[in-house]
Amino acid sequence: MEKAKCVRILALESSCDESAAAVLDERRGLLAQQIFSQAGLHRVFGGVVPELASRDHVRRLLPLVRAVLEQSSTTPHDLDGVAYTAGPGLVGALLTGAALARSLAYAWGVPAVGVHHLEGHLLAGLLEADVPPLPHVALLVSGGHTMLVEVLAIGRYRLLGQTRDDAAGEAFDKTAKLLGLPYPGGPQLARLADEGRAGVFEFPRPMLDRPGLEFSFSGLKTAVLHAVRANPLTEQLRRDVARAVQEAIVETLVAKALRALDETGLDALVLGGGVGANRLLRERLARALAARGAQLYCPRPELCTDNAAMIGVAGLARLKAGEREDLGIRPRPQWSLDSLAPIAA
Ligand code: KG4
Ligand code: ZN
């Protein structure tokens, strides 16, 4: 009998300001990945400038593809498909990845598959040796989304709750900006918070006193603005405010994640998205889950922030399930997670 072919794919990510490429193999996992962050390009503008992001993806993606193919000793003949982020995200940025992926797949005579960015974040944990069990609850916290999702199977996601306004990453970035930190503020604010004193400021824990699994982070900006306006912006003040901001966000996320485990009766939580790289959040979740005998699955920080490996995991699953795209190039800047087709296990 002929041995089943081991599927190997190229994956691209370009939904926002990271250009990334990866090569994944069904059996050996992640073979190579490269990420180029455009943060330096957008810093002077204090946030992502969509047009600049698209132009830079055009410049960066192809060299990244070349690099990952070389790094993994892969030739186009070894590839069985090309996965790319089709949405949600910035339309121009998505278009660059979609056009390149679709064209490469056409030239190489292999199928292309458009991946939902959030499905990528949800499945990043599959790249780690300790694979999360199904079903589980996922806490997905990024610059654009904050949601609790019941992951029933690959492709079967039930939204338990999400933010009504700002995402957790946005709350980090916007309050960081008020403190004069350069874009992207989240990781910088986290570093500053390490040097802050506990209890000097106390910011609201939005929606914590109400039942349910929704979040709201927009009030945090106003609270920080008041604190910053009412006091001289000394270095110590910035540290203390940063610490209080991080505390408020992390405490809210942990409390709601535990509530989601209670409500679903599940005992495994998977962390995903850029804010999942936050050390305090990882530590607090680990402690809270250990105390109740539940399991926490935290992909390493570089698999939490935007990357192509996670797009590859989702793409591989979808290609293996027979998903194929026609020759159209259709980015999907708005794309709901629950519209995805389930994949049979
Ligand atoms: O998932 P991601 O890389 O991109 C989106 O899909 O949005 O998430 C980026 C977000 C940004 O808001 C960034 O500030 C935040 O994740 N972030 C962090 C940390 N690392 C990244 N926030 C807090 N602490 C961190 N260590
Ligand atoms: Zn993301």
Side-chain angles (χ1 to χ4, degrees), residues 126-245:
L126 298 181
L127 287 158
E128 299 292 15
D130 196 8
V131 172
L134 287 168
H136 62 250
V137 171
L139 172 63
L140 207 165
V141 273
S142 72
H145 299 86
T146 294
M147 38 174 80
L148 281 158
V149 179
E150 185 176 5
V151 179
L152 297 151
I154 297 183
R156 279 186 65 210
Y157 309 114
R158 189 166 75 90
L159 183 63
L160 301 169
Q162 62 182 329
T163 183
R164 291 184 169 186
D165 41 57
D166 289 351
E170 228 174 330
F172 267 106
D173 294 343
K174 288 179 176 171
T175 52
K177 203 168 177 176
L178 292 174
L179 294 177
L181 295 170
Y183 168 85
Q188 311 243 14
L189 186 137
R191 271 193 290 277
L192 201 61
D194 285 343
E195 297 158 26
R197 295 168 296 178
V200 179
F201 290 96
E202 180 83 8
F203 294 129
R205 272 82 170 133
M207 319 271 302
L208 216 51
D209 51 347
R210 287 191 230 166
L213 297 170
E214 289 195 309
F215 302 90
S216 164
F217 289 109
S218 65
L220 209 49
K221 293 183 304 254
T222 321
V224 170
L225 193 63
H226 286 311
V228 168
R229 283 204 180 136
N231 301 282
L233 195 56
T234 60
E235 197 48 39
Q236 190 58 53
L237 178 112
R238 292 166 76 238
R239 292 177 185 147
D240 296 342
V241 169
R243 176 150 180 168
V245 167

Side-chain angles (χ1 to χ4, degrees), residues 18 117 121 142-144 169-170 172-173 184 186-187 190 273-275 277-278 304-306:
E18 256 92 33
H117 182 80
H121 277 305
S142 72
E170 228 174 330
F172 267 106
D173 294 343
V275 180
N278 183 272
C304 286
T305 48
D306 285 351

Side-chain angles (χ1 to χ4, degrees), residues 69-121:
L69 291 180
E70 245 174 62
Q71 208 181 323
S72 59
S73 306
T74 301
T75 70
H77 294 293
D78 303 321
L79 289 170
D80 302 289
V82 182
Y84 66 94
T85 307
L90 301 170
V91 65
L94 292 168
L95 196 53
T96 63
L100 178 61
R102 189 54 273 183
S103 309
L104 289 175
Y106 179 69
W108 294 339
V110 295
V113 66
V115 169
H116 194 295
H117 182 80
L118 298 185
E119 180 168 61
H121 277 305

Side-chain angles (χ1 to χ4, degrees), residues 284-343:
R284 292 277 171 86
L285 279 174
R287 207 182 308 154
L289 266 73
R292 57 160 61 201
Q295 284 300 315
L296 175 65
Y297 297 83
C298 283
R300 60 206 112 126
E302 61 270 32
L303 293 177
C304 286
T305 48
D306 285 351
N307 64 83
M310 67 182 196
I311 301 304
V313 175
L316 200 56
R318 294 200 167 271
L319 278 169
K320 283 194 67 192
E323 274 188 35
R324 303 284 183 266
E325 287 195 353
D326 61 24
L327 289 179
I329 295 173
R330 287 182 212 90
R332 306 180 71 171
Q334 317 274 350
W335 190 2
S336 93
L337 195 59
D338 38 0
S339 68
L340 294 181
I343 293 179

